[in-house]
Structures are given as C-alpha cells and as structure tokens.
Amino acid sequence: MADLIVSPSESTHAVAVARSARLRNGLPRLSGKLLVGVVLLGVIVLFGLIGPLLLGDPRDASFDPLLPPSPEHPLGTTKLGFDVLAQVATGTQGSLFVGAVAGAVALFLALVFGVLAGYFGGALDETLMLATNIMLVIPGLPLVMVIAAYVQHTEGLGDLARSSLLVALVLGITGWAGSAVVLRGTARSLRTRNYVAASVVAGERPLRVIFVEILPNLVPLLAAQLIFGVIFAVLGEAGLSYLGLGPTGSITLGTVLNDAQTGQAVGSGAWWWFVPPGLIIALIGTALSLINFAIDEIVNPKLRLVPVAARRQRLARRAGRGVGGEGAVA
C-alpha cells in the first residue's frame, strides 16, 4: 500500500510532465513542406531586414528613368529614376511589417472573442458570437476599403494617417471573425476534457485555466490562424495599395505595384518594375501556405496519415503488378 501513495511533489511533477507532453505534441513536426516553407520565408525576411541597409535610399531619384536591369541596377530603375531593387527590399520590409502587425491584432481579437465565448458560454458566448457573426456577414474587401478611406482622411491623426501601421490595424480589426469561430469551437471541446474539469474542481481561477490548460493545446491552431492572418494582411495591403488606398508615407510591395501601374510599366515594357514585387508577394503566400499545411497535419491527424496510406498503396500496387487478371493490379 505504501508504494501506491504519491507525494504532492510527485503529483505536481506528473502534471507538469503531462502539460509539457501536450504542448510538445502540438508543435509541428519536421516535414518537407515545413522545411521548404521555413527556408523560403527566412530568405524573404532576411532580404527585407538586411536589404534596405545595403541597397541605399529607395527614394533616390538621381538615376536615369526606366533603365533595364544591369550590373549597376540589377532590377533596373522606375519612371522617376528610383532603383527598383532598393524599392523592392524596402517594400518587402513594409509588407512583412503590415502582415505581422495585422496578424497579431487579428489573433488577439480572435482569442478574446473565440476562446472566452467557448469557455464561459452562456450570455457572454451569445454576446460575443453576435458581434462575430455581424463581422462575418459583412463583405470583407468593401469593409476594409470603406474603413481605410474614412480613417485615412480623418483629421488629427498626423503621421499615422496613410501609414503602414494604420493599414495594418484596419486589416487586423476586420480580419479576426473567421478565426474566432474556429477557436470558439475548439475551446468548447477542450473545456469538457478531464484535466480541465480537474482544474476547475481544484478551485483554479477561470483565467488561469484558460492560460494553463486550454491555450497550450491551442498552439498549433493559433499558429495556423496567425499565418492565415498574415497572408490575408499581405494580400489585403497589396490590394488596397493597388487601388490607391494603401500607405503613402511608407513603401510596401503594394505601393511599388501601384507606382508601376500609374507609371504605365506594362505599356512601356518595364517588366522589371512590376514582376519582382508581385513575385515576392506570391513567394510570401507560398511559404506561409506551406507552413500552414504542415501545421494542419498536426491539427488534423487524418491529413498526416493520408500520404502514408497513399505511399503504402503505391508500394502494394507495384509489388502486386500483373497478379490480377485482365491487366488489373492486385
């Protein structure tokens, strides 16, 4: 009987180990998609961070206009004589900033509206979901355009008006509703688990239960929602800038595309002006999507098992080729 007695320290250690195991199992495992996505995103981030420091002033108009790519200007120059490579490097930094800020804002709002509604339920759930459903039924792009146009012409904002930070805040405030619905459903499922019920019975405060028991199990889902928010923000900023509603006080990939469009880069054959920023936007979306696919395999174990089952089926078909009658594969 003495061997069955567990000391409080051993019990605490066991709980800590269990929590660590749940968190560790929720982290994405190394896969081809994850590796390619992380490497590609890392290269783009380094280019955006280091490039502006090495390539000079992106608004230096002392060069000849519309020069094609050359050793002096690897991506040529714009109609106003700006170096395209310097503009693309600075624009990459600006777009990544918009994506990071908007993704963080959207994730925070999704946590507040989704996790709190899913855990507490009742009147709070109905109130928060009412606001979430209203945001869901309003068309996203028109809402962003209206808010951006209104806020950017509001007096008293000073340097914040038409800045990258303002555009990021607008995109973050309008892009959280879908993630909130997903987090609410998962939080409602987790609150019925035994370890959550045990914490509640032990007298733990609700916020501590949320932060200690529920949020660690939401790490893969939170990462996926953050990545989705960043993708939405980068593409949304590019769209707003292309329509003339983007930041004018800073350079992003969207503003570079807008300058190329207003400068008739396509008509003049200056492909080096609009192809690089569009390509980097596509690469950012590709890298983040690959990472998101890898995280989805953690959130949904069925997705992780599908490639394994398909590989086993191919191997079985190869091993049994010609066994079945009339050319059928056994």
Side-chain angles (χ1 to χ4, degrees):
M1 295 294 296
D3 295 337
L4 299 178
I5 299 177
V6 180
S7 65
S9 60
E10 292 176 345
S11 177
T12 303
H13 177 71
V15 172
V17 171
R19 289 173 180 171
S20 177
R22 291 199 301 269
L23 179 60
R24 185 171 56 255
N25 292 333
L27 296 177
R29 293 162 178 79
L30 185 63
S31 63
K33 292 188 288 290
L34 180 63
L35 182 61
V36 173
V38 170
V39 170
L40 183 57
L41 182 62
V43 171
I44 295 174
V45 171
L46 287 177
F47 174 68
L49 293 178
I50 300 177
L53 302 177
L54 303 177
L55 298 174
D57 185 8
R59 299 190 184 276
D60 183 5
S62 61
F63 307 109
D64 294 332
L66 293 180
L67 290 176
S70 63
E72 184 179 0
H73 303 286
L75 293 181
T77 60
T78 70
K79 190 175 183 178
L80 298 178
F82 299 144
D83 184 78
V84 175
L85 181 59
Q87 288 231 320
V88 169
T90 304
T92 301
Q93 184 182 80
S95 293
L96 291 174
F97 171 77
V98 171
V101 173
V105 171
L107 181 63
F108 173 76
L109 293 176
L111 278 171
V112 172
F113 282 81
V115 175
L116 293 183
Y119 178 76
F120 288 103
L124 180 62
D125 182 17
E126 295 179 0
T127 303
L128 295 179
M129 281 300 101
L130 175 62
T132 303
N133 292 331
I134 292 175
M135 293 297 297
L136 282 175
V137 299
I138 298 177
L141 181 59
L143 177 63
V144 172
M145 293 172 59
V146 170
I147 295 177
Y150 175 77
V151 174
Q152 291 172 356
H153 292 87
T154 302
E155 297 181 358
L157 293 178
D159 295 337
L160 183 61
R162 304 302 294 270
S163 66
S164 297
L165 178 59
L166 182 63
V167 173
L169 292 176
V170 171
L171 291 171
I173 291 173
T174 57
W176 56 269
S179 299
V181 174
V182 176
L183 292 176
R184 172 181 176 263
T186 308
R188 292 187 65 180
S189 174
L190 290 175
R191 73 177 182 178
T192 61
R193 303 292 175 87
N194 293 333
Y195 55 87
V196 176
S199 298
V200 174
V201 171
E204 299 287 355
R205 291 175 295 180
L207 289 181
R208 189 179 188 281
V209 175
I210 292 175
F211 280 100
V212 176
E213 302 294 348
I214 292 181
L215 287 185
N217 291 278
L218 293 176
V219 168
L221 191 57
L222 294 177
Q225 298 304 317
L226 175 62
I227 291 173
F228 175 79
V230 173
I231 295 175
F232 170 80
V234 171
L235 297 179
E237 183 278 324
L240 287 176
S241 297
Y242 191 79
L243 296 174
L245 297 174
T248 57
S250 55
I251 299 175
T252 64
L253 295 174
T255 60
V256 176
L257 287 174
N258 177 259
D259 292 341
Q261 187 267 336
T262 56
Q264 299 180 347
V266 177
S268 59
W271 60 267
W272 56 86
W273 193 356
F274 60 87
V275 170
L279 180 62
I280 292 182
I281 291 175
L283 291 177
I284 291 175
T286 301
L288 292 174
S289 297
L290 289 173
I291 297 174
N292 199 16
F293 293 155
I295 295 176
D296 283 342
E297 293 180 356
I298 305 302
V299 177
N300 187 356
K302 294 181 180 180
L303 296 178
R304 188 167 62 249
L305 298 177
V306 167
V308 177
R311 192 181 308 113
R312 291 177 178 175
Q313 189 175 13
R314 288 196 302 268
L315 293 176
R317 288 179 177 177
R318 291 175 184 175
R321 183 171 297 154
V323 175
E326 298 182 358
V329 178

